[in-house]
Amino acid sequence: VHTSDVECSNFYVSQFIGPGNWFTTTRLAVRQLPDGRKALSNDKLVIHKRSKPLLNGDKICVQEMETDELVIDSDDQYFRLLKEEFSISLSWDTESNQEQTISMESFTATVLANRFK
């Protein structure tokens, strides 16, 4: 893979905003855990955790996964989960060095306003 392949593809994916572009219409954060993973995707938090390994003699068999899902009811809950579960805070304004009140509308407007900078 050449650098130019990745840069061109990333530029296209990040700049093309349309209803069919998964990369610009989906909000996604994923974190690997020692015992599974968690993903915050649009309006749902999904946590997969492995149960204890099943032993068959001296061999470890496939571990079963336990899954918990939480449907997100509001933008406030989304931003709170993003901060608490993934350590991502979108409310910090680096230009003013202050925490700002954030909504999905204000965040989206900021992203769109700064996409060509």
Side-chain angles (χ1 to χ4, degrees):
V1 175
H2 298 285
T3 303
S4 60
D5 294 333
V6 175
E7 287 176 356
C8 290
S9 297
N10 284 341
F11 179 80
Y12 172 77
V13 167
S14 67
Q15 300 305 315
F16 172 70
I17 296 178
N21 188 341
W22 184 88
F23 293 101
T24 58
T25 59
T26 301
R27 299 173 301 190
L28 180 66
V30 179
R31 173 166 273 172
Q32 290 298 117
L33 305 169
D35 60 344
R37 68 181 179 275
K38 54 185 163 183
L40 182 60
S41 178
N42 288 337
D43 63 349
K44 190 185 297 184
L45 173 67
V46 180
I47 301 174
H48 299 287
K49 287 189 177 181
R50 289 192 277 296
S51 58
K52 293 183 179 178
L54 304 172
L55 300 176
N56 182 5
D58 60 349
K59 296 180 181 178
I60 297 177
C61 298
V62 175
Q63 296 176 327
E64 292 187 24
M65 298 290 279
E66 297 173 7
T67 301
D68 291 319
E69 291 187 12
L70 173 67
V71 175
I72 299 167
D73 297 327
S74 68
D75 291 347
D76 289 338
Q77 184 182 21
Y78 176 85
F79 289 118
R80 183 180 53 76
L81 287 170
L82 194 61
K83 187 172 185 175
E84 291 173 3
E85 298 289 333
F86 299 88
S87 301
I88 298 172
S89 176
L90 299 176
S91 60
W92 188 259
D93 182 16
T94 56
E95 292 180 7
S96 67
N97 275 343
Q98 295 180 351
E99 192 154 4
Q100 305 289 324
T101 301
I102 191 168
S103 68
M104 199 56 67
E105 290 80 20
S106 67
F107 174 70
T108 303
T110 301
V111 169
L112 291 175
N114 291 305
R115 71 182 191 159
F116 293 113
K117 285 187 176 180

